[in-house]
Amino acid sequence: MDDPRGYNRAPYFFLSYAHTPKHGGQGDVDPDMWVWRLFRDLCDHILQLTAEPVGSPVGFLDRTATVGEGWDERLTEALATCRVFVPLYSPRYFRSDMCGREWYAFSERMALQTARSFGEVAPIVPALWVPVHPAHLPVTAAALQFNHSGFGADYAEEGFYGLIKLNYLRNEYERAVYLLAKRIVQVAEETTLAPGRRPSFDTLPSAFGASGEERTLRIVIVSSRGEGGSRGGDKSAVQEWNPYEHARPLAEFAAYLARNLDYRATVLSFDDVSPDDLLTGGSSSGPAVLLVDRGALREPERRERLSALDSGVPPWVGAVVPGSPPEPGVPDEEDPDPPDLETVAPVMTRRSRAVSRAAVTGLSTAEMFSEVFPKLAKAMSAQFATHAPSHPPTRPPRRPSFQADGPEPAAGTRHEQEAHGDRRP
């Protein structure tokens, strides 16, 4: 916000939008002045609908991010603490790397809390600036299936930009912005989202892939057989492994994170994957990340299969070791000299360590996993795009997300670096 007094207080909502580049003849005119008006109107309504004190940072809008000390900190602080995320949809929005980073920062908070609970946590309330064709939505946005017609037929047809610019729709603008404010308040009161981490904005991945590109990711679970070999390679081995003792198993958590990166993820058991499937790079395979249970490294059969894979592993397959690393100087009761991933699979170890050293020594918390796994997935995807013999398939058409009828889901950044150049101070 322009008002620095809200820097250390959590905003009620974060309005995420794509900056419009200036063009010839505009002079000092701000092309995003109408977004600023929408933001102010939302703040006014929310102040009336809640007991928030006057002067509190009801909303956050990054309007002055071109220069200024502390921009990165203000932005990540707001994303880590806001109660509701409001992405302002437009064709430009989903082409913006900055907007994609904002979306990912907030969705990471959602993923961590969802992993800890049995219910879905989705305090995202999308809004239309300009309607976007459903086929152009990335995976993470298409999954919301938000019913925009609930804010009025004219709004669903024109978006806020049309309602503001067309005089005869002025009343419809007032109605739609009021209903959006009510929805933000409702979602904020129905959900509680824990604060998230505050990384440098530059280190965040984008939740949006390239337009029209189908991004796939295979998540391969290398889990331990457990006592008596009961778990084996069956489906339960994939479903049950839970090194962080959350309500959701690791496979589900990893797939959630992958979806937030605009990947269509497939979760597989290592026992059910043929070596040829991992060693070849046809369009039906794609990049892969192995999630290796440290206990599996004690099992001779698993070590042999991992070592055989490592001897010919393509550059688009990496590995991480979830769970706490062994404590130095503390003997392992099960194995006084337990093998590590570097001993069994040195090629994948070097590859993953280049992304993050912690990836192969042990990711002791879910927060560490949510930070490292996306980096490795992105690195393996880039390697696949560079070295695979065929290109990934194009994104297929999606079913419409802006249907007039149908159930509304539990409701659930930055701006155009391409248009403005690097906006960071």
Side-chain angles (χ1 to χ4, degrees):
M1 295 179 65
D2 287 345
D3 183 357
R5 293 174 297 174
Y7 174 67
N8 291 318
R9 291 182 287 175
Y12 210 87
F13 72 99
F14 185 111
L15 185 62
S16 173
Y17 74 107
H19 280 231
T20 303
K22 289 186 178 182
H23 55 83
Q26 279 191 308
D28 294 331
V29 175
D30 181 1
D32 293 315
M33 61 184 293
W34 301 112
V35 174
W36 177 237
R37 175 184 168 179
L38 171 64
F39 174 75
R40 293 198 314 266
D41 290 343
L42 282 172
C43 290
D44 290 344
H45 284 311
I46 290 173
L47 277 173
Q48 295 296 327
L49 294 168
T50 67
E52 293 291 308
V54 176
S56 65
V58 176
F60 183 95
L61 178 76
D62 184 11
R63 195 172 180 230
T64 59
T66 52
V67 293
E69 184 179 356
W71 165 75
D72 187 293
E73 291 82 0
R74 288 192 295 272
L75 189 63
T76 53
E77 175 74 15
L79 287 165
T81 59
C82 66
R83 300 174 66 177
V84 179
F85 184 75
V86 182
L88 198 55
Y89 286 11
S90 70
R92 192 184 305 278
Y93 185 85
F94 293 111
R95 292 184 176 91
S96 169
D97 179 70
M98 301 291 279
C99 294
R101 295 185 193 188
E102 289 176 355
W103 188 303
Y104 183 80
F106 189 83
S107 64
E108 183 185 60
R109 291 173 60 194
M110 289 167 41
L112 285 165
Q113 189 142 324
T114 298
R116 298 186 183 108
S117 64
F118 289 99
E120 289 290 331
V121 180
I124 295 182
V125 180
L128 296 180
W129 185 243
V130 177
V132 180
H133 192 282
H136 297 159
L137 293 175
V139 170
T140 187
L144 292 176
Q145 292 288 303
F146 195 83
N147 189 352
H148 291 271
S149 64
F151 296 156
D154 288 318
Y155 161 79
E157 179 70 21
E158 305 291 349
F160 276 115
Y161 179 73
L163 299 188
I164 289 176
K165 297 295 287 184
L166 299 173
N167 288 333
Y168 75 95
L169 293 177
R170 191 60 51 85
N171 289 339
E172 288 302 311
Y173 167 78
E174 298 294 347
R175 175 174 180 266
V177 72
Y178 175 71
L179 291 175
L180 176 59
K182 284 184 64 178
R183 182 63 176 158
I184 293 170
V185 171
Q186 177 188 358
V187 170
E189 292 177 349
E190 291 177 351
T191 59
T192 301
L193 190 61
R197 64 189 182 97
R198 298 159 176 79
S200 170
F201 194 76
D202 291 344
T203 66
L204 290 169
S206 172
F208 310 149
S211 179
E213 176 188 338
E214 170 80 343
R215 301 209 295 183
T216 62
L217 181 70
R218 291 170 297 164
I219 302 170
V220 182
I221 308 296
V222 188
S223 57
S224 170
R225 292 182 183 275
E227 294 183 7
S230 60
R231 289 174 64 185
D234 62 15
K235 190 175 181 180
S236 64
V238 175
Q239 294 176 333
E240 294 172 5
W241 184 31
N242 196 350
Y244 303 118
E245 299 182 352
H246 284 167
R248 308 293 179 97
L250 182 65
E252 190 174 333
F253 180 42
Y256 194 117
L257 289 172
R259 189 185 72 188
N260 289 338
L261 289 165
D262 200 27
Y263 291 109
R264 294 189 180 276
T266 302
V267 179
L268 304 165
S269 168
F270 185 58
D271 289 344
D272 297 333
V273 178
S274 69
D276 288 344
D277 187 43
L278 288 173
L279 294 174
T280 59
S283 61
S284 62
S285 55
V289 175
L290 275 62
L291 311 186
V292 182
D293 184 350
R294 196 181 303 279
L297 298 175
R298 298 190 181 96
E299 300 168 1
E301 181 186 349
R302 300 294 179 86
R303 289 202 305 270
E304 184 178 344
R305 289 194 66 211
L306 277 171
S307 181
L309 171 66
D310 193 67
S311 65
V313 69
W316 52 82
V317 178
V320 297
V321 180
S324 299
E327 295 184 37
V330 178
D332 189 310
E333 296 180 359
E334 298 184 41
D335 189 344
D337 188 24
D340 56 22
L341 187 64
E342 185 169 14
T343 303
V344 177
V347 176
M348 283 190 285
T349 297
R350 288 193 297 270
R351 184 175 300 155
S352 299
R353 182 181 288 139
V355 176
S356 169
R357 183 174 181 83
V360 292
T361 58
L363 302 173
S364 57
T365 66
E367 287 77 10
M368 288 183 65
F369 183 85
S370 70
E371 180 179 356
V372 172
F373 173 77
K375 294 179 180 178
L376 188 58
K378 183 178 179 180
M380 296 305 100
S381 183
Q383 289 293 328
F384 183 72
T386 301
H387 298 287
S390 60
H391 296 290
T394 57
R395 187 189 302 280
R398 296 193 179 96
R399 58 192 177 96
S401 296
F402 305 145
Q403 67 270 22
D405 299 301
E408 182 175 329
T413 164
R414 122 112 231 242
H415 302 300
E416 289 301 300
Q417 287 179 309
E418 298 84 357
H420 290 277
D422 194 342
R423 300 177 57 86
R424 292 164 288 175

